[in-house]
Amino acid sequence: AQSVTQLDSQVPVFEEAPVELRCNYSSSVSVYLFWYVQYPNQGLQLLLKYLSGSTLVKGINGFEAEFNKSQTSFHLRKPSVHISDTAEYFCAVSSNTGNQFYFGTGTSLTVIP
Amino acid sequence: EAGVAQSPRYKIIEKRQSVAFWCNPISGHATLYWYQQILGQGPKLLIQFQNNGVVDDSQLPKDRFSAERLKGVDSTLKIQPAKLEDSAVYLCASSLGWGGSPLHFGNGTRLTVT
């Protein structure tokens, strides 16, 4: 079975500052990794995904994430945040055997003007 | 492409009443999921369908929750009778079904049980 841990439940950051949202996973098999964003009263929207290949993946809205197999991490980063980035961010993992997804508990990012 | 459609967006019921949610996935998506998202938590899988067969319903409270996927397309999730702790957002998602294909979510149904 797979599991995901998001280490920070809330992250406040000033506008135009960099941010990192941390995600660690555990799995006994090869996995695919995803970051989703959820704005108030909306469903989850895919930010980026890691399937294979380059460990640095780029997504929408200027976000990127780096897959680190040895540390079983998939941290999300953005060099300069905007007010519009205020949202809930979820890390998710799926295995290559059943397309079942497991989500972390989420990190609430608040961008301060 | 049209996204995942869910209805209703909001529902308020009293405990012990019944309620049903509807989901229409993206055309061609073989896999459909129902998630429960309690305020402040991540989505929790209730049931996963592959076409019209159930892949995983291990976390579905079967004494009160039921779900079906009609002809491998639309799906309904029912709660009968509802409890106060069922207050949550119910999210439907779909995917192509192959390993690594991402989930596409609807906007969810916010259920309040009073």
Side-chain angles (χ1 to χ4, degrees):
Chain A
Q2 295 83 41
S3 66
V4 176
T5 301
Q6 291 185 244
L7 299 165
D8 307 297
S9 59
Q10 296 185 22
V11 173
V13 62
F14 285 104
E15 192 174 13
E16 297 183 6
V19 69
E20 178 180 83
L21 306 183
R22 297 180 293 169
C23 172
N24 287 89
Y25 69 93
S26 66
S27 177
S28 57
V29 299
S30 295
V31 297
Y32 305 114
L33 294 156
F34 305 80
W35 275 99
Y36 284 84
V37 60
Q38 186 176 34
Y39 299 104
N41 297 316
Q42 294 186 25
L44 282 70
Q45 176 184 354
L46 180 68
L47 269 180
L48 49 78
K49 61 184 177 184
Y50 171 79
L51 302 183
S52 65
S54 173
T55 57
L56 182 64
V57 293
K58 295 186 183 298
I60 62 172
N61 301 340
F63 284 93
E64 63 181 32
E66 185 156 19
F67 170 59
N68 188 319
K69 187 174 182 179
S70 63
Q71 297 186 8
T72 60
S73 67
F74 190 55
H75 300 333
L76 181 70
R77 302 185 183 100
K78 186 170 183 178
S80 175
V81 295
H82 301 131
I83 296 292
S84 58
D85 293 324
T86 294
E88 192 82 16
Y89 291 79
F90 292 96
C91 182
V93 62
S94 75
S95 74
N96 59 1
T97 57
N99 209 36
Q100 291 163 312
F101 281 71
Y102 300 90
F103 286 84
T105 52
T107 297
S108 178
L109 174 65
T110 300
V111 180
I112 304 164
Chain B
E1 63 181 6
V4 176
Q6 287 189 250
S7 67
R9 284 299 313 275
Y10 305 92
K11 190 73 176 179
I12 301 174
I13 62 172
E14 295 182 350
K15 60 183 178 182
R16 291 187 291 273
Q17 286 187 322
S18 63
V19 64
F21 313 127
W22 173 82
C23 173
N24 179 245
I26 292 173
S27 177
H29 280 195
T31 310
L32 185 146
Y33 308 74
W34 283 101
Y35 283 89
Q36 180 192 58
Q37 186 178 23
I38 293 173
L39 187 64
Q41 298 182 19
K44 170 189 155 186
L45 179 68
L46 291 175
I47 189 167
Q48 177 184 347
F49 292 95
Q50 179 77 17
N51 297 310
N52 60 355
V54 175
V55 173
D56 183 358
D57 64 355
S58 57
Q59 297 192 84
L60 186 74
K62 298 181 186 64
D63 58 332
R64 298 185 300 107
F65 285 64
S66 65
E68 61 178 0
R69 189 174 184 193
L70 306 172
K71 299 180 180 178
V73 182
D74 292 5
S75 178
T76 55
L77 176 69
K78 297 179 181 177
I79 307 175
Q80 181 179 8
K83 293 185 176 181
L84 295 177
E85 59 260 36
D86 297 332
S87 294
V89 175
Y90 290 85
L91 294 164
C92 179
S94 68
S95 80
L96 288 168
W98 50 265
S101 55
L103 300 184
H104 298 260
F105 284 86
N107 284 327
T109 297
R110 182 178 298 277
L111 173 67
T112 302
V113 182
T114 63

